[in-house]
Amino acid sequence: MRSYEPHDEDAATDVVRDAAGRGERLRLVGGGTKAGIGRPAQDEATLSARGLTGITLYEPAEMVVAARAGTPLAEVQALLAERGQMLPFEPVDYRPLMGSAGEPTFGAVAAANTAGPRRINAGAARDSLIGVRFVNGRGEAIKSGGRVMKNVTGLDLVKLMAGSWGTLGLLTEVTFKVLPVQERVATLVFAGLDDARAVEALATALGSPFELTGAAHLPAGVHGPEPRTLMRLEGFSVSIDYRLGELRRLLERFGAPTVVEDAQGAALWCAVRDVVPLAEPREAAVWRISTAPSHGPAVAAAIAAEREARWFYDWGGGLIWLSTPATGDAGAEAIRAILKVHGGHATLVRAPDPLRAAVPVFEPLSGPLMRITAGIKAAHDPAGVFNPGRMYAGV
């Protein structure tokens, strides 16, 4: 298979323009850590962003950073850490779950719209993304957004590119707002709660004025023998002490929690962020299910009544990571039927290639939404050059 690795935006536009002229279909890649997500590739060549590297802007006082799309995410995070800053949305590292190698890239964070446990407080990648440069399917370099948040009139291409999984264009540069690293991080850990009680506790805490930045529940046997319910607080130390005390009083009917800090707490939240509890068995299919937090336990129980499953909750119960045998349709029909009752949507994040080719990986769209999606694809990539069929068959 032919491979292209341009080292600047002009070279990238030439590659795309020539490919469109030949009708050559391109698989867009960064570090390759998420290559197994989506429908199997229907391409004839690879276009890599790995040669597009370098931090192009960093203004700590303005809390904004920009880098070319192929820049390793770790490089950007290290620079931010030197100045006591961070990306607000806690980008997921899919390598433990996917068994992939390589280095996550800065552009892929935007393309996949990744977000970890802090999403309940800081939003997803798209909520901090304020500028993009990309090459569309005509081989044209496009710039949208800039260095500050502002109201947008017309089509907001910045938000459109976030979560498009490389189907609309090759990102060449992305710009994010950043936040200061908090002085202290502490996690309340409640033991022994079942799913329903855990989600009730999380909802109570999230509805309080004490500003959780993480709210997760690990059922028994998923990441240790006992169920654990996790609530993360961040901020100045004196604020943490006050909020811990108030939350203990607010949640006393759920038991007496322990407090975890420093490396132990960081390891817990990294495991939740990177879906480590469901990484094994490697052959199992893994679903990412979004629903109303109050419906999370009922959704998980209904799925478990249909087929073997293991799961845990993030975002106060609104995000369910669920593992099930990769047999039949990996539960696709049952899971989506259950979500029609309870509300929500499901993405098949990990499964063998034949299964990802046979089952809709992303939530199927209604007729009107599919027409809009196909129209947006045609407007940005009329020749169907980029990642054809990765999100939806025939698009």
Side-chain angles (χ1 to χ4, degrees):
M1 180 184 289
R2 188 177 301 174
S3 179
Y4 306 100
E5 191 172 306
H7 289 269
D8 58 48
E9 190 175 79
D10 288 342
T13 61
D14 291 341
V15 169
V16 173
R17 194 179 302 116
D18 291 346
R22 294 192 300 271
E24 184 177 45
R25 298 178 296 180
L26 302 174
R27 181 195 311 181
L28 305 191
V29 298
T33 63
K34 306 174 193 61
I37 301 177
R39 300 181 69 254
Q42 302 170 32
D43 49 69
E44 298 154 330
T46 297
L47 174 56
S48 172
R50 280 189 288 261
L52 303 171
T53 60
I55 295 169
T56 56
L57 170 74
Y58 180 40
E59 295 185 357
E62 299 297 325
M63 293 193 293
V64 62
V65 65
R68 296 186 182 93
T71 306
L73 174 61
E75 181 181 328
V76 178
Q77 290 177 314
L79 176 66
L80 294 175
E82 289 175 3
R83 301 299 294 267
Q85 295 182 335
M86 65 181 183
L87 294 168
F89 48 88
E90 214 168 353
V92 181
D93 183 348
Y94 279 104
R95 287 176 293 185
L97 180 66
M98 304 303 295
S100 52
E103 283 290 326
T105 58
F106 202 48
V109 169
N113 190 35
T114 64
R118 198 176 286 110
R119 181 170 183 167
I120 59 170
N121 178 267
R126 68 159 49 91
D127 298 296
S128 296
L129 184 65
I130 58 174
V132 295
R133 292 186 66 93
F134 66 95
V135 178
N136 68 15
R138 297 181 179 84
E140 300 166 335
I142 307 294
K143 178 182 183 296
S144 182
R147 294 160 57 175
V148 296
M149 292 281 196
K150 58 178 69 176
N151 292 329
V152 175
T153 56
L155 185 62
D156 187 353
L157 297 180
V158 174
K159 300 297 188 282
L160 185 66
M161 295 301 291
S164 61
W165 289 92
T167 59
L168 301 179
L170 172 70
L171 286 167
T172 57
E173 182 183 81
V174 294
T175 305
F176 282 102
K177 292 290 288 184
V178 300
L179 287 179
V181 172
Q182 300 299 312
E183 177 184 286
R184 181 181 169 195
V185 182
T187 300
L188 279 173
V189 182
F190 290 81
L193 301 181
D194 63 23
D195 288 15
R197 288 278 284 164
V199 169
E200 182 186 354
L202 294 173
T204 302
L206 287 167
S208 77
F210 305 120
E211 199 173 1
L212 269 60
T213 64
H217 176 64
L218 302 165
V222 172
H223 195 58
E226 298 297 324
R228 289 178 292 173
T229 307
L230 315 177
M231 303 177 189
R232 184 173 60 187
L233 301 171
E234 299 177 304
F236 294 110
S237 187
V238 64
S239 169
I240 295 290
D241 287 336
Y242 170 74
R243 289 148 65 199
L244 286 173
E246 292 299 305
L247 279 170
R248 279 195 179 98
R249 282 187 282 274
L250 178 67
L251 302 170
E252 61 184 357
R253 69 185 185 276
F254 298 101
T258 57
V259 177
V260 174
E261 301 192 50
D262 303 321
Q264 186 181 0
L268 265 178
W269 289 106
C270 280
V272 171
R273 182 196 70 191
D274 299 339
V275 205
V276 171
L278 301 185
E280 300 292 341
R282 185 63 58 187
E283 66 274 11
V286 175
W287 289 88
R288 183 182 187 273
I289 301 169
S290 294
T291 188
S294 59
H295 294 173
V299 169
I303 295 170
E306 296 283 342
R307 59 187 293 119
E308 179 187 345
R310 298 167 62 242
W311 62 87
F312 70 89
Y313 304 88
D314 199 356
W315 304 350
L319 174 63
I320 307 169
W321 284 102
L322 184 138
S323 170
T324 190
T327 55
D329 67 352
E333 184 176 354
I335 289 170
R336 288 178 169 141
I338 289 164
L339 290 174
K340 284 183 180 178
V341 174
H342 293 277
H345 57 85
T347 301
L348 182 57
V349 174
R350 188 183 76 184
D353 284 1
L355 185 55
R356 290 188 293 118
V359 170
V361 172
F362 293 91
E363 185 71 17
L365 299 177
S366 65
L369 284 178
M370 181 58 80
R371 287 193 292 274
I372 291 171
T373 298
I376 291 172
K377 172 70 170 174
H380 288 270
D381 182 19
V385 173
F386 298 131
N387 285 354
R390 182 171 191 177
M391 294 188 73
Y392 300 103
V395 178

